Amino acid sequence: MRRRAGSLTLFLTATATVLALLSPPLGAASAAGGGPSYRLHDYADGQARYVLPPGENGLVTATQALAFEATGQRPANSQDQLGEYSSLLYGYPSLTDANLGTYFNDESFGVKAADVTRTEHPGPGVTIYRDTHDVPHIYGDTDASAAFGAGYAQAEDRLFLMDVLRHYGSGTLSSFLGASCAFEQMDHDQLLLAPYTQAQAQQQVDRLPQRYGAEGARAKQMIDSYVQGVNAYIDATNSNPALLPADYVAAGPDQAVPQHWTDADVVAIAGLIGGIFGKGGGSETDDAHLLTYLRGRYGARAGLAAYRDLDHQNDPLAPTTSQKRFTYDVRTKPWHRSLNAIPGPQALTGGPVSTSAGCGQASALPASPASSPTSSPASLRAQEGAHLIAALQAMPRHMSNALVVNGSRTRSGHPVAVFGPQVSYFAPQILSMLDLHAPGYDAMGASFPGTGLVELGRGRDYAWSATSAGSDLIDQRVERICDPGGGPPSATGTSYLFQGRCVPMVHETFSESVVPKAGSGGGAPATLDHQIYLTRHGVVQGWTRVHGRPVAIVSQRSTYNHDIDSVIGFLGFADPSRTRGVHSWMRAANQIGYTFNWLYVDSSDTGYFVSGRDPRRNPHADPTLPTWGTGKAEWRGFLSFRQHVHQVNPRQGFFVSWNNKPAPGFATDGEYANGQTYRSVMLVDQLERQLRRTHDRVTRVDVVTAMETAASQDLDGLEVAPLLLRYLKGHHQSAHTTAMLRQLRAWVADGAHRRKAKASDTQYQHAAAIAIDDELTPYLIRALYDPILAKGGESGVGSTGGATTAGYAKLPMQWVNTPNSGGAHLGSAYDGGYEGYLMSSLQQLLGRHPVDGFGRELTRHECGGGPLTCRRAISRALSRTYDALVTANGSPDVASWTASTLSKAAGQTMPEFDSIGFQALGIVGQPNIDWQNRPTFQQVVEFPRHR
């Protein structure tokens, strides 16, 4: 990504000249006292590897920014892992143990002396060694000094990114990035999730010793020290301006100084981790709207049955990671009026908008830096921040993926794991690497900037990773509004009934000072006030009515005011005295309040644990629908250790997780996609193929091959297309339909890959079939379900977020989640959609009776008139597909097609349209790479020894 010269280039030139005169050379190495250790306390013997594209270095100085503007030269170590990551897509068929290092880096503890490129001593008792990938290897005499070093190193690598994240998490983006309607709305939306004052956030840290004893005191000390390390780097930028990211420099002298951090900033970022990746549930009001819609269409009894068919709350065919049954959140009783409330379908009203005049919900973000080549320095930071926030909003909410194989099914007899999180793609990457060592801490892996801990990585003789679980941590409560004086309640009243008493809401005002919006004529900074209301259950999202009476909708989140508590579990993961094997590791996982699927491997055991502060609910209430906040449906404690999904060394010989359902019977609201298929089946199929091929003697290479083979497969092509072909077999088709089906059949037989034959090609190997499938799938969905979900425009087809094509507005599930993900090029795909519905419907049309099939309440309306009308409706979908692709490709020759309607509209080939884009968080971006559906950070590990 490069921009034309403009005022930014002139400003950077002047700045770089001044810095050259004032500053010592960037990265000058301190004298190393002694040397770094390598593989000390490390039982992997070199068999642990990782990759995290595009590169560890995220610091772009003014001089480096100028060089990139002029020549395209990127700073060292900002791109050195990009080729490793991208080339596996075409290299895995020839993968061997000998060339595994071509695609994955050494994850051994420490660094070889010959590979040390820089040594730093940022504070007493701490040394940082940088290796040839610029990864910091941090050694502290105490846990606190190591945490100080982690703060210094993360600020060195990600300071501007961390600054944006802490303001995002605290709801103060507008004060940092400048006024915009979008920033103001995002500030307010974040405050609806975690409205903490600075004092309240600090209290979360201060309470750790009281809540968790010695471990809590240790956690608080490390957080304090981490913040001191961040501030030490900020102070260093004052004495050596060359250390300052160009993002600050280019913003002008009034905004060029980053502000010191506090513990509250760490809490803000912890809240983001939980809010983006580690949350689940909270869709009860959307579920109620769907129920209301269906009851209005088909009557009370039939509408409720249709709702239960569409709501795959506990589908018995859903793929699961564990085969053991763990019952949780399963509907056991019909919804009861005294416990469940059904709000009206109207939008929430009366809520505090808290944005400036003229700002609406649909306000656009400022242009990204790439689109403004002559941006003024003063606006650059807002543009970069806008680009980051847009990417964060669009990023996949599901982390992926994990393949963990028992030692009984490997060649060495030791378990093998290939796993990591999918957190989208940024430049610099939103995760950073840390190798952190202290008396009570030994770990290397990926860290979320602003935390200073290894959240995903390896310990001395074990490794762990996570995928998002989405278990039910959030309920939506319906508070009955009352008048304290006994009169009629106001439509937006701020008192509510609880256990027969009229209780006042808590009112908080969050103020921030923001500079005027562009084009507003300037003037003094304005004060923006966000008005937030809270009940005993949580944060008020807005007001509506139930049976004509005013109510407030409140989100009750179990991790509210506990955002930082999960640090106790994360510390346990890396503490060699607390984690000595799979069972002690599970105890640490149980102390993490966010909802994640945690996977574990050491030299002898594999493990799986689903964390989360999961509430136990009134069993007589329907957990998919909102509950009254009057006191009858209160939570009854939280799941115990044994009630969480957990398993060691599964009988089937492996764990596979790709955000699929954790275990039979373990349910949550809002998971409509948990039907009879999920993207995890692609990993299972490929892993089982490798197990058969090797006669249960797989190696690390075989497991990587299974992962990467699935990484280019199309779930619709693998699961839906074969059923469609079977349904259409033997029935007369037009010549053009026959030609399209022939292309689909060949593609399915070849594994339904979205992949070029070789990296240098410009088109997919099965381009015509992929274009047909992309075009046909939305038409097929609408052919079957428009009469149910969009008849007469009553439901309409509206955006549901994260999808490439608009979805049904009444059904709270994304549409067709293909690789492009709505034009955002996020990489992750097929993490939930209509595949399960389509499979059930096609199986029923074939005369089968799947246990998750639709009942008569829905099947008699499919296709507009039930099964007898479906063949005609599907034929129309095929004809529409043909017509659309003739237009897109300018030819009726099916075999010659290389474009879909969407790729044609974008002016790109299909591989370009699907490609992974690295969201540039500043001046230096990265080129797109060919799509592959795999983790952003990934480990390949096998431990031959144990302590």
Side-chain angles (χ1 to χ4, degrees):
M1 174 182 125
R2 294 176 61 185
R3 297 204 299 273
R4 301 187 303 273
S7 58
L8 172 60
T9 301
L10 296 175
F11 186 84
L12 288 173
T13 302
T15 302
T17 302
V18 173
L19 290 179
L21 296 173
L22 296 178
S23 308
L26 177 65
S30 305
S37 64
Y38 183 59
R39 296 188 183 176
L40 181 66
H41 301 145
D42 183 342
Y43 292 78
D45 293 345
Q47 296 186 68
R49 292 194 167 274
Y50 80 93
V51 66
L52 178 60
E56 176 60 27
N57 180 25
L59 173 63
V60 181
T61 68
T63 302
Q64 291 167 336
L66 181 62
F68 180 71
E69 288 283 331
T71 67
Q73 178 183 349
R74 292 177 172 83
N77 302 116
S78 64
Q79 196 189 48
D80 55 332
Q81 297 184 57
L82 184 61
E84 296 173 344
Y85 185 91
S86 63
S87 60
L88 182 62
L89 179 62
Y90 299 101
Y92 76 87
S94 303
L95 191 63
T96 66
D97 195 64
N99 67 11
L100 195 60
T102 304
Y103 310 101
F104 297 92
N105 306 310
D106 187 5
E107 200 183 27
S108 297
F109 281 177
V111 55
K112 297 175 183 177
D115 291 338
V116 176
T117 59
R118 186 163 92 246
T119 304
E120 300 168 285
H121 301 284
V126 59
T127 302
I128 303 173
Y129 303 100
R130 292 279 182 168
D131 67 16
T132 53
H133 286 291
D134 206 38
V135 171
H137 302 264
I138 304 163
Y139 291 84
D141 292 346
T142 65
D143 291 353
S145 59
F148 181 97
Y152 190 92
Q154 281 201 321
E156 196 171 22
D157 290 343
R158 300 286 190 275
L159 182 60
F160 180 73
L161 170 62
M162 290 164 56
D163 224 345
V164 174
L165 292 175
R166 67 164 165 168
H167 284 88
Y168 187 11
S170 61
T172 57
L173 272 175
S174 295
S175 65
F176 179 62
L177 297 177
S180 90
C181 292
F183 291 157
E184 292 175 17
Q185 190 63 52
M186 283 184 285
D187 284 344
H188 184 60
D189 290 347
Q190 179 62 20
L191 290 171
L192 289 179
L193 175 69
Y196 305 134
T197 64
Q198 289 282 305
Q200 290 167 340
Q202 182 64 50
Q203 285 172 5
Q204 287 196 42
V205 178
D206 293 341
R207 284 196 301 259
L208 289 172
Q210 288 75 42
R211 285 179 172 173
Y212 301 102
E215 281 300 310
R218 177 184 176 224
K220 182 183 184 311
Q221 182 186 39
M222 292 183 72
I223 292 170
D224 292 342
S225 296
Y226 174 80
V227 168
Q228 292 168 13
V230 174
N231 290 337
Y233 184 79
I234 291 174
D235 290 342
T237 66
N238 294 327
S239 58
N240 181 2
L243 297 175
L244 190 67
D247 313 81
Y248 293 102
V249 175
D254 294 337
Q255 302 183 56
V257 180
Q259 300 301 304
H260 271 184
W261 277 53
T262 67
D263 291 355
D265 295 316
V266 180
V267 175
I269 289 182
L272 274 185
I273 297 173
I276 293 178
F277 303 116
K279 70 176 182 178
S283 70
E284 290 89 355
T285 298
D286 287 339
D287 296 345
H289 290 169
L290 174 63
L291 173 60
T292 299
Y293 167 76
L294 293 169
R295 294 176 76 200
R297 289 286 308 274
Y298 306 128
R301 185 182 297 272
L304 178 60
Y307 170 72
R308 297 278 171 80
D309 280 350
L310 289 170
D311 176 21
H312 282 155
Q313 195 243 3
N314 191 33
D315 191 323
L317 298 182
T320 60
T321 298
S322 172
Q323 304 308 304
K324 292 175 60 179
R325 176 168 290 274
F326 290 85
T327 302
Y328 175 68
D329 225 18
V330 175
R331 182 191 298 112
T332 58
K333 303 283 184 179
W335 70 275
H336 198 284
R337 288 181 181 272
S338 68
L339 298 173
N340 290 113
I342 308 297
Q346 65 272 13
L348 298 183
T349 60
V353 177
S354 299
T355 56
S356 301
C359 288
Q361 293 283 345
S363 301
L365 287 163
S368 73
S371 64
S372 300
T374 58
S375 300
S376 67
S379 67
L380 177 68
R381 185 159 73 177
Q383 293 172 2
E384 292 177 354
H387 207 199
L388 166 61
I389 298 305
L392 284 172
Q393 288 186 315
M395 87 160 43
R397 266 41 176 179
H398 296 108
M399 301 171 74
S400 56
N401 56 43
L403 302 90
V404 181
V405 184
N406 291 358
S408 61
R409 306 193 73 176
T410 69
R411 180 183 298 176
S412 67
H414 302 293
V416 169
V418 176
F419 48 19
Q422 163 57 265
V423 294
S424 196
Y425 299 85
F426 298 89
Q429 188 51 259
I430 197 169
L431 297 176
S432 68
M433 287 295 294
L434 288 178
D435 181 24
L436 193 59
H437 303 284
Y441 199 102
D442 270 328
M444 182 177 183
S447 174
F448 202 93
T451 67
L453 297 177
V454 175
E455 278 91 16
L456 309 118
R458 57 153 302 190
R460 291 183 177 181
D461 50 10
Y462 57 91
W464 75 94
S465 193
T467 71
S468 287
S471 61
D472 198 356
L473 305 185
I474 304 173
D475 280 354
Q476 288 192 307
R477 299 289 191 180
V478 180
E479 311 282 19
R480 291 187 185 276
I481 300 302
C482 58
D483 185 289
S490 165
T492 57
T494 56
S495 295
Y496 64 102
L497 285 172
F498 182 74
Q499 294 182 346
R501 296 175 55 243
C502 191
V503 183
M505 296 177 181
V506 174
H507 177 210
E508 297 273 12
T509 299
F510 293 82
S511 299
E512 56 180 330
S513 179
V514 297
V515 297
K517 296 180 180 67
S520 64
T527 298
L528 182 64
D529 293 328
H530 301 277
Q531 308 296 335
I532 301 295
Y533 293 87
L534 302 98
T535 72
R536 64 176 290 112
H537 298 113
V539 187
V540 175
Q541 306 297 302
W543 284 258
T544 184
R545 290 181 176 271
V546 173
H547 304 307
R549 300 180 61 180
V551 298
I553 304 298
V554 170
S555 285
Q556 183 175 14
R557 175 168 63 93
S558 67
T559 51
Y560 181 73
N561 247 331
H562 293 271
D563 295 274
I564 201 65
D565 292 21
S566 294
V567 70
I568 303 298
F570 286 118
L571 283 174
F573 281 173
D575 187 337
S577 67
R578 285 182 61 190
T579 296
R580 301 192 64 88
V582 64
H583 297 287
S584 55
W585 170 83
M586 283 184 174
R587 292 291 175 185
N590 188 50
Q591 292 183 292
I592 295 174
Y594 309 137
T595 170
F596 288 115
N597 300 297
W598 294 103
L599 288 302
Y600 170 95
V601 62
D602 63 24
S603 64
S604 58
D605 293 316
T606 63
Y608 175 51
F609 190 93
V610 181
S611 70
R613 198 165 187 256
D614 297 290
R616 292 188 289 110
R617 298 173 171 84
N618 187 320
H620 299 287
D622 187 328
T624 70
L625 298 173
T627 46
W628 288 111
T630 52
K632 292 184 178 181
E634 297 303 289
W635 289 345
R636 303 180 175 189
F638 300 92
L639 292 189
S640 67
F641 175 89
R642 292 187 176 276
Q643 290 171 323
H644 283 274
V645 178
H646 64 284
Q647 192 174 9
V648 175
N649 300 325
R651 181 176 299 179
Q652 68 177 359
F654 59 83
F655 293 115
V656 164
S657 176
W658 209 346
N659 317 115
N660 47 287
K661 187 180 177 74
F666 200 85
T668 188
D669 72 277
E671 292 295 335
Y672 288 79
N674 278 343
Q676 63 172 280
T677 192
Y678 209 85
R679 60 183 179 181
S680 58
V681 301
M682 299 188 290
L683 292 177
V684 172
D685 289 348
Q686 293 303 327
L687 182 56
E688 288 181 335
R689 177 173 296 182
Q690 293 297 324
L691 289 166
R692 289 192 301 269
R693 185 186 64 81
T694 62
H695 304 288
D696 281 354
R697 291 171 58 80
V698 294
T699 65
R700 289 183 300 163
V701 166
D702 299 322
V703 183
V704 171
T705 298
M707 176 278 302
E708 189 64 24
T709 304
S712 61
Q713 289 184 301
D714 183 308
L715 183 62
D716 297 304
L718 283 174
E719 298 283 84
V720 178
L723 286 170
L724 177 64
L725 291 168
R726 197 168 302 141
Y727 175 69
L728 296 173
K729 186 177 181 180
H731 293 271
H732 176 72
Q733 306 292 338
S734 65
H736 61 255
T737 296
T738 300
M740 290 194 301
L741 297 181
R742 186 182 305 118
Q743 294 293 327
L744 281 177
R745 194 171 289 110
W747 179 52
V748 170
D750 200 28
H753 290 276
R754 302 178 76 96
R755 187 171 175 267
K756 299 181 297 190
K758 56 183 183 295
S760 58
D761 289 349
T762 59
Q763 301 290 351
Y764 281 134
Q765 186 172 7
H766 290 275
I770 294 169
I772 293 164
D773 192 70
D774 283 359
E775 204 77 33
L776 175 59
T777 299
Y779 281 129
L780 184 61
I781 294 170
R782 299 200 64 177
L784 289 165
Y785 308 129
D786 259 12
I788 297 169
L789 294 168
K791 186 175 181 181
E794 186 176 352
S795 165
V797 177
S799 173
T800 55
T804 57
T805 309
Y808 293 112
K810 290 295 182 186
L811 189 69
M813 179 176 69
Q814 64 183 346
W815 184 252
V816 184
N817 180 221
T818 52
N820 183 266
S821 298
H825 298 279
L826 299 177
S828 184
Y830 305 111
D831 59 349
Y834 280 76
E835 291 88 358
Y837 288 162
L838 289 174
M839 290 182 69
S840 294
S841 292
L842 288 168
Q843 287 164 355
Q844 288 180 292
L845 290 173
L846 284 164
R848 303 178 192 174
H849 303 282
V851 296
D852 66 348
F854 294 147
R856 177 169 168 75
E857 293 80 9
L858 288 177
T859 56
R860 66 194 179 98
H861 297 289
E862 282 181 333
C863 309
L868 296 178
T869 63
C870 282
R871 196 171 301 280
R872 185 168 61 252
I874 291 173
S875 293
R876 283 198 301 270
L878 286 161
S879 294
R880 290 173 180 172
T881 297
Y882 176 80
D883 292 342
L885 290 178
V886 167
T887 299
N889 289 275
S891 170
D893 180 9
V894 172
S896 69
W897 290 345
T898 58
S900 66
T901 297
L902 292 175
S903 70
K904 177 69 173 181
Q908 298 173 322
T909 66
M910 285 193 296
E912 289 172 334
F913 186 71
D914 286 352
S915 64
I916 293 172
F918 286 79
Q919 305 296 325
L921 310 181
I923 298 165
V924 177
Q926 298 291 344
N928 287 12
I929 61 174
D930 284 351
W931 177 72
Q932 49 184 302
N933 201 7
R934 63 183 280 210
T936 312
F937 164 69
Q938 193 167 44
Q939 298 179 91
V940 179
V941 292
E942 180 177 8
F943 290 91
R945 299 185 295 126
H946 199 70
R947 282 173 283 172

